[in-house]
Structure formats: C-alpha cells, structure tokens
Amino acid sequence: MKKVLRWIDQRFPLTSFIKHELTEYPTPRNLSYWWNFGSLAGIVLMIQIVSGIFLAMHYKADATLAFDSVEHIMRNVNYGWLIRYLHSTGATAFFVVIYIHMLRTLYYGSYRSPREIMWWTGQGLLVLLMATAFMGYLLPWGQMSYWGAQVITSLFGAMPFFGDELVTWLRGDFIVGDATLTRFFALHYLLPFIIVAAVFIHLVALHSVKSSNPSGINLADKDNIPFHPYFTVKDLFGLCIFLVIFSYFVFYKPNLFIMAENYVPANPMQTPAHIVPEWYFLPFYAILRSVPDLLGGVIAMGLSVMIFAAMPFLDRSKIPGGSRYRPFHRFMFYAFVIDIMVLAYVGAAAPEGFVIPLGQIATFFYFASFAILPFASKIEEKWLIKRGLPAEVEAMMQSEEAQKADRRQRKQDRRKTKRKDQ
Amino acid sequence: MKKTFGAFFVGLLLLVSHISLAGSSVQPLAKIEIFQDEETLKRGVMVYYNSCRLCHSMKYIRYQDLVEIGFSTAEIKKLRGRLTEKRLTSINSAVILTQIYGLVPPDLSLMAKARSQGPQYIYTLLTSYYEKSANIYDNKLFPGIRMPDIFSHSLALNPQEKTKTENKILDVTAFLVWASDPKAQERKSLGKYVIAYLVGLSIMFYFVMKRVWGRLE
C-alpha cells in the first residue's frame, strides 16, 4: 500500500492534495449547522445526476411517447418509481438546499470581501440550476410541463425587434412541440455536467479564501481545526438527517411536489385554467406579473435573479460579517425573507383582487431592499461605532484599516520611485 | 438568535406547504377515507369493468396486472372472455364516443392523481348529480359535465339505495387510486426500512461526532 502510494506520489500529488484540502485544511471551529448546506448541495447534485442517468435509459424524448415512457418507468421498470420520485423530489430538495445556502450567506455576510468570486460563481450556479430545472420540467410532457414551457419561452418575445424570431429559434417550432422537447432533453442532460465543472471553480475559490464563519471575524489560527475528521463527520451527520427528511418525502409524499395537472398529458389545444410554475420559481414569477408592461416584467424578473451578484458592492459597512454584529442587517434579512414568501404566495394565487397590489408592493420592497442597502449599511455602521463595538470587532476593523493604509502607502511609494526613475 | 433562524424556516416550510395545498372549488369535497384491502379493490375492478369501461379506458393497466390485487389467472381469464387486448380498453370505440359526447372520455388510469385531492374529487364528482329542472340533470362539482349519472345516484329513492351506490362509488374510487400508483404499497413498505436505517445511521454518526469533537481542547 505504501509503495503504491509512493509510486503515485512521484507522478501525481495525491498525498499532498489530500493533506492540503482535507486532513489539514483549516476550517473555523465555530461553524454552525447552517454551514452544512454547501456539501449537501453537492450530494443532491450527485443524486440528481445518478437518478437522471438511469431515467434517461428508459425515457423517450418524443412528444408522442414521452408521457407514456414516464408511466412505463413508474410501472414496469424495476424500481423505476423510486428512481423517478428520487429525481422529482430531488429537484425540490435541490432548491430548498440552495436557497438555504444562499440565505445563510446573506445572513452572515459571507458574500463580502474576500469571497466575492465565490458569491459570483454561486450566482452562476443558481442560473444554471434554474435553467436545468426549467428544461427538465418539460420532459414528463404533462399539461403543466407543456404550458409552463409555452409561457416562459414566449417571454422572450418581449425582446424588441426580433422577439418573435427569438422565440421560434428557442422552441425550434412556432409552438412548443417535439422539436422543443428533444432540444430541452439534450440540454437537460448536458447542463448538470457544466454545473459540476462550475462547482469545482466554486470549491477552488473556497479553498483559497477558506470558509467564513458566524462571527464574520477572521479567526486566529488556534480557532481553526482541520476539516477531517471534524467536519467530515459533521457533514455526514447532517447528510443523514437530510436523507431521513428527503426519504420521507420520496416514500410517503412523492406527489406533493408534482402538480395534479401534470398527470394529464400535454394538450396544445387546451390551456389549463391556472398556469403555475414550480414553487421554486414562484417569487420571480410574481415579480414578472407585477410589472404591468411585459418587457418591463421580463427585465424585472431577470434582474431579480441577477441582483444578488451586486451584494458585495451594495454592502458598504466597515463592520465585518453579517447579522452577528449588525442588528439592522438582521432586520433587513428577515424582512426580505418575509417579502419572498409574500411573493411566492402572489405567484401561486390567481392575479385578481388584492393579489395584484400586494404583488406590486412586494416587488417594490424586493428591489428597494437592495437599493437602500448602500446607505443603510453606512448609517448602521456610523450608529454602531458611536455606540461602541465589541473589542474583537474593533481589533478586526483596525487591522483591516491598517492593511488598507499599508497598501495605499506602498502604492504611493511605487509611484514616487517611478517618478524619480523618469 | 439561532433559534429564531430555525423557527423561521419551519414557518416558511409550513407556509409554502399550505399554499401548495390550498385549492378552491365550487363544491366542497367529501371527506372520505380510501381502504385498499383486497376485497374492496376486487369489487372496485368489477364496478369499473361493468360500468365505467363502457366509456373509459385504463390504458396503463394490463389484465395481467390485476394479479397484484388478488385476482387469480383463472378469474382474469373469465373476466376477459374472448377479448384479445392486453390492456383495459373501453367497450365503445373512440369514434362512437366522440359522436355521442363530443370528446373521448379521459383515460382513468391516472385519474386519482390527475386532479388535486383525486380520490375525494372522484367520489364527490359521482355523488354530486342533482335534478336541475324537470328531467334535466347536472353536476354540482362539474357543472355542464357530459358524463351522465351512471349509478343514478341522484335518482335513488331511499337511503338504503343511496348507501348502496355510494359504496359502489367508494369501491371504484379505491381501485382508481390503486391504478394511479400500483407501486404505492411497495413504496410505503420499503420506505419504513429505508427511514429506519437512516435514523439508525444518524444516531450512530451523532455519537461518532460527539466523540471526535470531544477530543478538541
């Protein structure tokens, strides 16, 4: 064994890699269970890929066969029902895990310097995940699959000048049809592997800047512990708890996340009374509908997903971290979460009566909470400094200030020497 | 603070599940319980076979599948008679049905899953016929439905007769629930073991974690 390892090490840095990234990789010891959701997302991704590959072995991407082939999987393939329910429940689980992961980042301010690249790769992953889920949802070829795709692809028609051409190009036909199904299937199979690659970039960034932690303060070396065994076992424990909950839904409530309407085969001649997207798109869908103008709505919806990327710029406070030492930040966080739930409700309800103004107010609040952040974070900072901060935060801010001053000094020096040279 | 954060997400989950369950309809659905014992299912098959099959197919169910709810091969043979189809097809052809009703009545194999609260919906649908005006019948749950009152539930003269048809409807509903998800029983019994195993594993990892973390400091 040792010999084999030595042989490999001479050709490939296996031992040093494991040491560096696992057994000696320093991790803050005060991470709470909210830090489990990153690795959970990775596991859910694996569940989706493996169950998806098995589904693809029996699924037929053909408008006349797709619906029947899913029922064939459910009824005749050995454990087909299990594979299919793992995959359909897995989609919901993926969004639950990712949304909690994002909310944790927002709450604790983990998006802040030096973790901007992590946050942006995460933003990219979110968009990829949404695209994958959206295309996957067409594949069972039920009524909701069909009309959901019809509505969402038609949004691209709002594009000025060549909207209609764009829609036709996306669908491969004038309406969603067989051509759309086959291309969505091809892309739905491809995107997860691109997600895997993007996750690697996300992880390389993580291992360069290391994990944030609940206090938001960079910890002294003595407060860091090796990832293995402490966090491998903690992640495994978290994973088991997750799997218990996940299995409950897979085995006992698998149809909770599949709309009844989607057990009716797609019928291009019959529009369902309410076209409702999957729960994980509801807040964004509500924003789309709350803007009276279609193009405006599409832009607002796109912006509502992408605006998270601006967080590192918007949060201008000098106080480190997120909500731990920043009561207003915490308040904003909870207000934002409530707002998202209101939007989800609006997205699910029929757009009539009080739902319309409610959606507009919630949409306004959604964007307002980003817009006021630069000012709010500054005001909060001043107020907190005046009130006096805990010593460790003070120290952290001073060291950061010193570093910044140092950098500025060096830059000036360089400029001076340059001038002298000339 | 951690606690508020946690409580918050439980609340969020509850709210979302509440929203996803909320549905509205004209007629409140009957609160019935579906029993899936062999006797009920077998009676349900017969109700489908003798009544609904006139107009409705169940294309995802093969005659052979009825073995799973306790039919013997001989019984199935007797049921089929001289029919050669492998699957449960309607007696009247699609062409004739379209001529009479203006549409092909929907396939029933997935019906119990294709409506929200499917079982309750089917039962309520079949028991909601009423005489709108002299000799004109309609349905409270589905006004203007093109399916006639098969069991003449709305015409029942006395309570006994009414109960009898309602029992029939319960039976056929139970069969439709089975047909929409024939693997449900297998799924639930496997689920017990999977979850028990995972709970055991969680407990084990919990103690391993305590031990490992106990070594700190």
Side-chain angles (χ1 to χ4, degrees):
Chain A
M1 185 63 205
K2 261 204 183 126
K3 253 188 185 163
V4 176
L5 216 58
R6 198 162 345 116
W7 187 90
I8 294 173
D9 277 333
Q10 279 163 358
R11 289 153 179 85
F12 182 86
L14 182 65
T15 312
S16 65
F17 180 81
I18 290 177
K19 244 190 196 162
H20 192 251
E21 310 303 339
L22 212 61
T23 52
E24 283 174 8
Y25 175 68
T27 315
R29 64 186 294 172
N30 61 338
L31 295 189
S32 66
Y33 283 108
W34 296 113
W35 265 259
N36 276 45
F37 286 85
S39 74
L40 273 185
I43 304 271
V44 179
L45 176 60
M46 287 303 129
I47 292 177
Q48 290 306 82
I49 288 181
V50 172
S51 61
I53 288 173
F54 279 97
L55 284 177
M57 291 177 191
H58 303 281
Y59 172 76
K60 297 211 164 42
D62 178 316
T64 56
L65 300 173
F67 191 90
D68 287 345
S69 74
V70 172
E71 277 311 307
H72 166 70
I73 291 169
M74 293 291 289
R75 290 157 193 267
N76 305 327
V77 174
N78 286 335
Y79 291 101
W81 56 269
L82 179 58
I83 304 169
R84 198 269 179 129
Y85 280 151
L86 278 174
H87 202 72
S88 64
T89 314
T92 280
F94 212 153
F95 278 96
V96 170
V97 168
I98 284 296
Y99 285 160
I100 293 178
H101 188 59
M102 282 178 71
L103 288 176
R104 188 271 289 160
T105 310
L106 288 172
Y107 184 87
Y108 289 111
S110 313
Y111 50 82
R112 304 182 62 188
S113 172
R115 296 188 179 79
E116 296 94 329
I117 295 210
M118 295 214 61
W119 183 238
W120 293 329
T121 48
Q123 171 84 68
L125 279 165
L126 176 69
V127 173
L128 282 170
L129 175 66
M130 286 178 154
T132 310
F134 167 65
M135 292 192 221
Y137 194 55
L138 182 68
L139 306 185
W141 206 244
Q143 272 288 69
M144 252 340 146
S145 301
Y146 184 88
W147 289 96
Q150 189 84 2
V151 168
I152 301 297
T153 50
S154 74
L155 296 179
F156 289 89
M159 177 84 91
F161 306 120
F162 49 88
D164 290 340
E165 285 78 3
L166 182 62
V167 173
T168 315
W169 181 74
L170 286 172
R171 292 175 179 165
D173 198 342
F174 296 109
I175 57 164
V176 171
D178 195 60
T180 324
L181 179 62
T182 47
R183 65 184 52 194
F184 274 31
F185 179 58
L187 293 174
H188 184 70
Y189 207 123
L190 168 69
L191 286 186
F193 298 99
I194 295 180
I195 291 182
V196 170
V199 166
F200 265 98
I201 300 175
H202 198 61
L203 287 180
V204 169
L206 172 68
H207 281 230
S208 154
V209 297
K210 310 286 185 284
S211 288
S212 62
N213 71 79
S215 72
I217 297 173
N218 286 338
L219 299 174
D221 285 339
K222 70 171 171 41
D223 292 322
N224 283 324
I225 50 179
F227 189 85
H228 181 78
Y230 299 104
F231 285 98
T232 28
V233 66
K234 194 174 176 184
D235 277 354
L236 278 171
F237 172 65
L239 173 64
C240 284
I241 298 292
F242 165 80
L243 286 178
V244 169
I245 300 167
F246 182 60
S247 304
Y248 171 74
F249 284 104
V250 169
F251 287 100
Y252 294 99
K253 295 273 174 236
N255 286 309
L256 189 63
F257 303 110
I258 302 177
M259 272 174 254
E261 195 83 39
N262 226 28
Y263 280 110
V264 179
N267 182 355
M269 312 300 282
Q270 191 184 54
T271 320
H274 298 296
I275 301 177
V276 187
E278 291 290 82
W279 69 268
Y280 38 79
F281 291 138
L282 287 175
F284 309 108
Y285 187 62
I287 289 175
L288 166 76
R289 286 197 312 194
S290 294
V291 180
D293 172 60
L294 181 62
L295 181 60
V298 173
I299 292 171
M301 181 170 73
L303 196 63
S304 69
V305 177
M306 296 307 295
I307 199 165
F308 291 101
M311 279 306 285
F313 303 120
L314 298 179
D315 188 349
R316 290 168 60 220
S317 179
K318 278 205 196 92
I319 321 264
S323 300
R324 177 71 197 280
Y325 295 108
R326 297 166 58 190
F328 187 69
H329 188 276
R330 188 178 331 150
F331 169 77
M332 288 277 285
F333 171 84
Y334 284 119
F336 185 67
V337 175
I338 291 171
D339 188 56
I340 289 175
M341 295 197 303
V342 171
L343 281 169
Y345 171 78
V346 170
E352 53 199 20
F354 77 100
V355 169
I356 298 172
L358 184 66
Q360 286 165 346
I361 293 167
T363 301
F364 174 77
F365 191 86
Y366 185 97
F367 290 110
S369 40
F370 288 96
I372 64 169
L373 190 60
F375 316 105
S377 58
K378 265 294 170 216
I379 295 168
E380 180 194 44
E381 171 198 304
K382 285 207 187 97
W383 177 67
L384 284 173
I385 290 175
K386 216 160 78 193
R387 253 188 22 167
L389 285 158
E392 66 268 27
V393 179
E394 204 92 60
M396 162 99 178
M397 282 167 66
Q398 264 158 20
S399 92
E400 215 150 79
E401 212 47 47
Q403 271 175 17
K404 233 185 233 165
D406 192 42
R407 245 176 288 152
R408 220 173 301 138
Q409 190 61 45
R410 250 182 292 163
K411 213 174 182 180
Q412 268 174 7
D413 288 352
R414 238 177 297 142
R415 229 177 268 154
K416 260 186 217 153
T417 46
K418 232 186 205 167
R419 234 175 280 150
K420 260 187 210 152
D421 287 349
Q422 282 168 356
Chain B
M1 184 190 76
K2 233 185 255 164
K3 258 192 208 144
T4 31
F5 202 24
F8 209 75
F9 278 106
V10 175
L12 187 142
L13 262 176
L14 285 177
L15 190 92
V16 168
S17 63
H18 180 77
I19 290 170
S20 63
L21 288 177
S24 63
S25 67
V26 220
Q27 167 93 338
L29 297 184
K31 290 189 179 61
I32 50 153
E33 230 185 298
I34 300 295
F35 297 100
Q36 293 265 359
D37 56 293
E38 196 178 309
E39 284 310 305
T40 312
L41 287 177
K42 275 176 126 174
R43 273 183 275 136
V45 172
M46 294 322 292
V47 177
Y48 165 77
Y49 210 73
N50 296 327
S51 308
C52 321
R53 191 170 64 106
L54 192 64
C55 310
H56 291 281
S57 64
M58 288 184 77
K59 63 175 175 176
Y60 295 125
I61 304 295
R62 289 169 302 204
Y63 281 93
Q64 206 46 49
D65 296 333
L66 298 179
V67 172
E68 285 168 40
I69 51 178
F71 277 84
S72 68
T73 322
E75 280 174 309
I76 293 175
K77 221 177 202 158
K78 206 173 124 209
L79 198 67
R80 276 177 90 169
R82 281 171 307 164
L83 289 176
T84 50
E85 290 100 338
K86 270 190 168 161
R87 290 161 188 278
L88 300 179
T89 48
S90 59
I91 295 177
N92 287 321
S93 70
V95 180
I96 292 177
L97 287 166
T98 318
Q99 271 173 12
I100 304 175
Y101 299 105
L103 83 177
V104 183
D107 185 88
L108 290 183
S109 344
L110 278 169
M111 192 51 79
K113 281 206 284 195
R115 299 287 180 275
S116 62
Q117 295 180 268
Q120 288 75 13
Y121 178 87
I122 294 169
Y123 178 87
T124 312
L125 180 76
L126 292 172
T127 52
S128 293
Y129 285 91
Y130 69 105
E131 192 169 3
K132 199 173 171 185
S133 52
N135 266 331
I136 296 185
Y137 291 86
D138 200 359
N139 192 295
K140 282 187 199 142
L141 185 60
F142 187 153
I145 192 169
R146 279 163 285 190
M147 170 166 79
D149 183 0
I150 319 293
F151 299 116
S152 309
H153 181 264
S154 54
L155 295 177
L157 295 172
N158 51 46
Q160 286 100 313
E161 209 174 312
K162 209 156 204 151
T163 320
K164 221 169 118 191
T165 53
E166 278 167 9
N167 283 337
K168 261 183 162 175
I169 295 170
L170 269 179
D171 292 345
V172 76
T173 307
F175 170 57
L176 293 186
V177 170
W178 175 84
S180 71
D181 200 353
K183 297 289 195 281
Q185 220 48 47
E186 184 189 349
R187 188 181 77 225
K188 286 174 191 161
S189 55
L190 181 62
K192 272 191 290 222
Y193 297 110
V194 173
I195 289 177
Y197 175 77
L198 287 170
V199 168
L201 211 60
S202 308
I203 294 171
M204 191 194 83
F205 273 121
Y206 179 76
F207 285 110
V208 173
M209 185 174 73
K210 283 280 136 189
R211 280 262 315 256
V212 168
W213 280 74
R215 280 194 305 221
L216 275 176
E217 277 174 342

PDB file of all heavy atoms in Angstrom, chain A residues 199-222:
ATOM      1  N   VAL A 199     -19.064  23.912 -10.055  1.00  0.00           N
ATOM      2  CA  VAL A 199     -18.910  23.644  -8.628  1.00  0.00           C
ATOM      3  C   VAL A 199     -17.419  23.540  -8.287  1.00  0.00           C
ATOM      4  O   VAL A 199     -16.977  24.013  -7.235  1.00  0.00           O
ATOM      5  CB  VAL A 199     -19.660  22.352  -8.233  1.00  0.00           C
ATOM      6  CG1 VAL A 199     -19.230  21.885  -6.850  1.00  0.00           C
ATOM      7  CG2 VAL A 199     -21.159  22.579  -8.250  1.00  0.00           C
ATOM      8  N   PHE A 200     -16.637  22.959  -9.206  1.00  0.00           N
ATOM      9  CA  PHE A 200     -15.204  22.868  -8.947  1.00  0.00           C
ATOM     10  C   PHE A 200     -14.578  24.251  -8.815  1.00  0.00           C
ATOM     11  O   PHE A 200     -13.765  24.492  -7.924  1.00  0.00           O
ATOM     12  CB  PHE A 200     -14.510  22.054 -10.045  1.00  0.00           C
ATOM     13  CG  PHE A 200     -14.374  20.615  -9.643  1.00  0.00           C
ATOM     14  CD1 PHE A 200     -15.281  19.668 -10.076  1.00  0.00           C
ATOM     15  CD2 PHE A 200     -13.352  20.225  -8.774  1.00  0.00           C
ATOM     16  CE1 PHE A 200     -15.199  18.350  -9.667  1.00  0.00           C
ATOM     17  CE2 PHE A 200     -13.257  18.914  -8.365  1.00  0.00           C
ATOM     18  CZ  PHE A 200     -14.176  17.963  -8.807  1.00  0.00           C
ATOM     19  N   ILE A 201     -14.989  25.160  -9.694  1.00  0.00           N
ATOM     20  CA  ILE A 201     -14.454  26.521  -9.598  1.00  0.00           C
ATOM     21  C   ILE A 201     -14.852  27.144  -8.260  1.00  0.00           C
ATOM     22  O   ILE A 201     -14.042  27.757  -7.568  1.00  0.00           O
ATOM     23  CB  ILE A 201     -14.972  27.375 -10.775  1.00  0.00           C
ATOM     24  CG1 ILE A 201     -14.508  26.748 -12.087  1.00  0.00           C
ATOM     25  CG2 ILE A 201     -14.489  28.814 -10.648  1.00  0.00           C
ATOM     26  CD1 ILE A 201     -15.053  27.427 -13.315  1.00  0.00           C
ATOM     27  N   HIS A 202     -16.112  26.919  -7.890  1.00  0.00           N
ATOM     28  CA  HIS A 202     -16.643  27.404  -6.609  1.00  0.00           C
ATOM     29  C   HIS A 202     -15.764  26.868  -5.465  1.00  0.00           C
ATOM     30  O   HIS A 202     -15.422  27.613  -4.538  1.00  0.00           O
ATOM     31  CB  HIS A 202     -18.078  26.883  -6.495  1.00  0.00           C
ATOM     32  CG  HIS A 202     -18.952  27.585  -5.493  1.00  0.00           C
ATOM     33  ND1 HIS A 202     -19.257  28.916  -5.553  1.00  0.00           N
ATOM     34  CD2 HIS A 202     -19.620  27.109  -4.407  1.00  0.00           C
ATOM     35  CE1 HIS A 202     -20.073  29.228  -4.563  1.00  0.00           C
ATOM     36  NE2 HIS A 202     -20.300  28.149  -3.836  1.00  0.00           N
ATOM     37  N   LEU A 203     -15.387  25.619  -5.551  1.00  0.00           N
ATOM     38  CA  LEU A 203     -14.610  24.997  -4.472  1.00  0.00           C
ATOM     39  C   LEU A 203     -13.157  25.447  -4.469  1.00  0.00           C
ATOM     40  O   LEU A 203     -12.546  25.594  -3.408  1.00  0.00           O
ATOM     41  CB  LEU A 203     -14.669  23.470  -4.588  1.00  0.00           C
ATOM     42  CG  LEU A 203     -16.013  22.851  -4.194  1.00  0.00           C
ATOM     43  CD1 LEU A 203     -15.969  21.346  -4.343  1.00  0.00           C
ATOM     44  CD2 LEU A 203     -16.379  23.220  -2.767  1.00  0.00           C
ATOM     45  N   VAL A 204     -12.603  25.663  -5.673  1.00  0.00           N
ATOM     46  CA  VAL A 204     -11.233  26.171  -5.722  1.00  0.00           C
ATOM     47  C   VAL A 204     -11.183  27.534  -5.037  1.00  0.00           C
ATOM     48  O   VAL A 204     -10.291  27.808  -4.223  1.00  0.00           O
ATOM     49  CB  VAL A 204     -10.732  26.265  -7.178  1.00  0.00           C
ATOM     50  CG1 VAL A 204      -9.422  27.035  -7.253  1.00  0.00           C
ATOM     51  CG2 VAL A 204     -10.562  24.877  -7.768  1.00  0.00           C
ATOM     52  N   ALA A 205     -12.183  28.360  -5.335  1.00  0.00           N
ATOM     53  CA  ALA A 205     -12.248  29.666  -4.677  1.00  0.00           C
ATOM     54  C   ALA A 205     -12.382  29.498  -3.171  1.00  0.00           C
ATOM     55  O   ALA A 205     -11.707  30.167  -2.390  1.00  0.00           O
ATOM     56  CB  ALA A 205     -13.422  30.473  -5.238  1.00  0.00           C
ATOM     57  N   LEU A 206     -13.228  28.549  -2.757  1.00  0.00           N
ATOM     58  CA  LEU A 206     -13.432  28.331  -1.325  1.00  0.00           C
ATOM     59  C   LEU A 206     -12.121  27.939  -0.652  1.00  0.00           C
ATOM     60  O   LEU A 206     -11.762  28.467   0.401  1.00  0.00           O
ATOM     61  CB  LEU A 206     -14.475  27.235  -1.093  1.00  0.00           C
ATOM     62  CG  LEU A 206     -14.628  26.795   0.360  1.00  0.00           C
ATOM     63  CD1 LEU A 206     -15.233  27.910   1.197  1.00  0.00           C
ATOM     64  CD2 LEU A 206     -15.498  25.546   0.480  1.00  0.00           C
ATOM     65  N   HIS A 207     -11.392  27.038  -1.271  1.00  0.00           N
ATOM     66  CA  HIS A 207     -10.179  26.564  -0.624  1.00  0.00           C
ATOM     67  C   HIS A 207      -9.058  27.587  -0.669  1.00  0.00           C
ATOM     68  O   HIS A 207      -8.049  27.425  -0.003  1.00  0.00           O
ATOM     69  CB  HIS A 207      -9.755  25.218  -1.235  1.00  0.00           C
ATOM     70  CG  HIS A 207     -10.576  24.092  -0.679  1.00  0.00           C
ATOM     71  ND1 HIS A 207     -10.028  22.942  -0.168  1.00  0.00           N
ATOM     72  CD2 HIS A 207     -11.913  23.971  -0.529  1.00  0.00           C
ATOM     73  CE1 HIS A 207     -11.007  22.155   0.261  1.00  0.00           C
ATOM     74  NE2 HIS A 207     -12.158  22.752   0.046  1.00  0.00           N
ATOM     75  N   SER A 208      -9.286  28.632  -1.455  1.00  0.00           N
ATOM     76  CA  SER A 208      -8.307  29.703  -1.449  1.00  0.00           C
ATOM     77  C   SER A 208      -8.644  30.743  -0.373  1.00  0.00           C
ATOM     78  O   SER A 208      -7.763  31.210   0.342  1.00  0.00           O
ATOM     79  CB  SER A 208      -8.252  30.327  -2.841  1.00  0.00           C
ATOM     80  OG  SER A 208      -7.833  31.639  -2.775  1.00  0.00           O
ATOM     81  N   VAL A 209      -9.924  31.080  -0.213  1.00  0.00           N
ATOM     82  CA  VAL A 209     -10.284  32.093   0.790  1.00  0.00           C
ATOM     83  C   VAL A 209     -10.735  31.479   2.108  1.00  0.00           C
ATOM     84  O   VAL A 209     -10.865  32.180   3.103  1.00  0.00           O
ATOM     85  CB  VAL A 209     -11.388  33.042   0.268  1.00  0.00           C
ATOM     86  CG1 VAL A 209     -10.903  33.828  -0.919  1.00  0.00           C
ATOM     87  CG2 VAL A 209     -12.650  32.275  -0.076  1.00  0.00           C
ATOM     88  N   LYS A 210     -11.011  30.177   2.111  1.00  0.00           N
ATOM     89  CA  LYS A 210     -11.482  29.447   3.304  1.00  0.00           C
ATOM     90  C   LYS A 210     -12.913  29.842   3.682  1.00  0.00           C
ATOM     91  O   LYS A 210     -13.447  30.838   3.209  1.00  0.00           O
ATOM     92  CB  LYS A 210     -10.549  29.681   4.506  1.00  0.00           C
ATOM     93  CG  LYS A 210      -9.066  29.464   4.211  1.00  0.00           C
ATOM     94  CD  LYS A 210      -8.727  27.993   4.093  1.00  0.00           C
ATOM     95  CE  LYS A 210      -7.236  27.765   3.930  1.00  0.00           C
ATOM     96  NZ  LYS A 210      -6.718  28.080   2.587  1.00  0.00           N
ATOM     97  N   SER A 211     -13.481  29.041   4.555  1.00  0.00           N
ATOM     98  CA  SER A 211     -14.873  29.280   4.963  1.00  0.00           C
ATOM     99  C   SER A 211     -14.988  30.558   5.779  1.00  0.00           C
ATOM    100  O   SER A 211     -14.091  30.890   6.543  1.00  0.00           O
ATOM    101  CB  SER A 211     -15.371  28.122   5.821  1.00  0.00           C
ATOM    102  OG  SER A 211     -15.576  26.986   5.032  1.00  0.00           O
ATOM    103  N   SER A 212     -16.134  31.228   5.612  1.00  0.00           N
ATOM    104  CA  SER A 212     -16.469  32.296   6.545  1.00  0.00           C
ATOM    105  C   SER A 212     -16.982  31.626   7.808  1.00  0.00           C
ATOM    106  O   SER A 212     -17.017  30.402   7.898  1.00  0.00           O
ATOM    107  CB  SER A 212     -17.556  33.176   5.937  1.00  0.00           C
ATOM    108  OG  SER A 212     -18.717  32.390   5.741  1.00  0.00           O
ATOM    109  N   ASN A 213     -17.376  32.417   8.787  1.00  0.00           N
ATOM    110  CA  ASN A 213     -17.931  31.798   9.989  1.00  0.00           C
ATOM    111  C   ASN A 213     -18.945  32.740  10.617  1.00  0.00           C
ATOM    112  O   ASN A 213     -19.020  33.912  10.251  1.00  0.00           O
ATOM    113  CB  ASN A 213     -16.806  31.427  10.957  1.00  0.00           C
ATOM    114  CG  ASN A 213     -16.177  32.646  11.579  1.00  0.00           C
ATOM    115  OD1 ASN A 213     -16.729  33.216  12.514  1.00  0.00           O
ATOM    116  ND2 ASN A 213     -15.043  33.075  11.031  1.00  0.00           N
ATOM    117  N   PRO A 214     -19.762  32.218  11.544  1.00  0.00           N
ATOM    118  CA  PRO A 214     -20.896  33.005  12.035  1.00  0.00           C
ATOM    119  C   PRO A 214     -20.518  34.373  12.583  1.00  0.00           C
ATOM    120  O   PRO A 214     -21.297  35.323  12.485  1.00  0.00           O
ATOM    121  CB  PRO A 214     -21.479  32.132  13.153  1.00  0.00           C
ATOM    122  CG  PRO A 214     -21.091  30.751  12.790  1.00  0.00           C
ATOM    123  CD  PRO A 214     -19.751  30.865  12.118  1.00  0.00           C
ATOM    124  N   SER A 215     -19.327  34.541  13.158  1.00  0.00           N
ATOM    125  CA  SER A 215     -18.993  35.834  13.751  1.00  0.00           C
ATOM    126  C   SER A 215     -18.651  36.863  12.686  1.00  0.00           C
ATOM    127  O   SER A 215     -18.766  38.052  12.915  1.00  0.00           O
ATOM    128  CB  SER A 215     -17.811  35.678  14.704  1.00  0.00           C
ATOM    129  OG  SER A 215     -16.635  35.456  13.962  1.00  0.00           O
ATOM    130  N   GLY A 216     -18.226  36.379  11.511  1.00  0.00           N
ATOM    131  CA  GLY A 216     -17.829  37.318  10.470  1.00  0.00           C
ATOM    132  C   GLY A 216     -16.433  37.848  10.673  1.00  0.00           C
ATOM    133  O   GLY A 216     -15.918  38.638   9.900  1.00  0.00           O
ATOM    134  N   ILE A 217     -15.766  37.418  11.756  1.00  0.00           N
ATOM    135  CA  ILE A 217     -14.418  37.879  12.052  1.00  0.00           C
ATOM    136  C   ILE A 217     -13.441  36.803  11.626  1.00  0.00           C
ATOM    137  O   ILE A 217     -13.702  35.615  11.825  1.00  0.00           O
ATOM    138  CB  ILE A 217     -14.279  38.121  13.565  1.00  0.00           C
ATOM    139  CG1 ILE A 217     -15.249  39.226  13.975  1.00  0.00           C
ATOM    140  CG2 ILE A 217     -12.852  38.483  13.935  1.00  0.00           C
ATOM    141  CD1 ILE A 217     -15.314  39.421  15.453  1.00  0.00           C
ATOM    142  N   ASN A 218     -12.337  37.197  11.042  1.00  0.00           N
ATOM    143  CA  ASN A 218     -11.320  36.196  10.726  1.00  0.00           C
ATOM    144  C   ASN A 218     -10.766  35.636  12.024  1.00  0.00           C
ATOM    145  O   ASN A 218     -10.355  36.373  12.905  1.00  0.00           O
ATOM    146  CB  ASN A 218     -10.183  36.819   9.921  1.00  0.00           C
ATOM    147  CG  ASN A 218     -10.624  37.087   8.499  1.00  0.00           C
ATOM    148  OD1 ASN A 218     -11.572  36.466   8.020  1.00  0.00           O
ATOM    149  ND2 ASN A 218      -9.959  38.009   7.848  1.00  0.00           N
ATOM    150  N   LEU A 219     -10.763  34.331  12.120  1.00  0.00           N
ATOM    151  CA  LEU A 219     -10.370  33.730  13.381  1.00  0.00           C
ATOM    152  C   LEU A 219      -8.866  33.561  13.461  1.00  0.00           C
ATOM    153  O   LEU A 219      -8.181  33.422  12.452  1.00  0.00           O
ATOM    154  CB  LEU A 219     -11.043  32.366  13.518  1.00  0.00           C
ATOM    155  CG  LEU A 219     -12.572  32.422  13.523  1.00  0.00           C
ATOM    156  CD1 LEU A 219     -13.141  31.030  13.520  1.00  0.00           C
ATOM    157  CD2 LEU A 219     -13.072  33.195  14.720  1.00  0.00           C
ATOM    158  N   ALA A 220      -8.376  33.576  14.680  1.00  0.00           N
ATOM    159  CA  ALA A 220      -6.966  33.287  14.881  1.00  0.00           C
ATOM    160  C   ALA A 220      -6.712  31.820  14.549  1.00  0.00           C
ATOM    161  O   ALA A 220      -7.639  31.014  14.525  1.00  0.00           O
ATOM    162  CB  ALA A 220      -6.589  33.561  16.333  1.00  0.00           C
ATOM    163  N   ASP A 221      -5.459  31.478  14.282  1.00  0.00           N
ATOM    164  CA  ASP A 221      -5.139  30.111  13.864  1.00  0.00           C
ATOM    165  C   ASP A 221      -5.621  29.068  14.864  1.00  0.00           C
ATOM    166  O   ASP A 221      -6.007  27.972  14.492  1.00  0.00           O
ATOM    167  CB  ASP A 221      -3.631  29.963  13.653  1.00  0.00           C
ATOM    168  CG  ASP A 221      -3.225  30.645  12.363  1.00  0.00           C
ATOM    169  OD1 ASP A 221      -4.123  30.841  11.520  1.00  0.00           O
ATOM    170  OD2 ASP A 221      -2.044  30.987  12.222  1.00  0.00           O
ATOM    171  N   LYS A 222      -5.613  29.424  16.150  1.00  0.00           N
ATOM    172  CA  LYS A 222      -5.992  28.421  17.144  1.00  0.00           C
ATOM    173  C   LYS A 222      -7.476  28.066  17.054  1.00  0.00           C
ATOM    174  O   LYS A 222      -7.905  27.036  17.562  1.00  0.00           O
ATOM    175  CB  LYS A 222      -5.637  28.897  18.550  1.00  0.00           C
ATOM    176  CG  LYS A 222      -6.501  30.047  19.044  1.00  0.00           C
ATOM    177  CD  LYS A 222      -6.229  30.290  20.516  1.00  0.00           C
ATOM    178  CE  LYS A 222      -6.870  31.556  21.048  1.00  0.00           C
ATOM    179  NZ  LYS A 222      -8.194  31.888  20.638  1.00  0.00           N
TER     180      LYS A 222
END
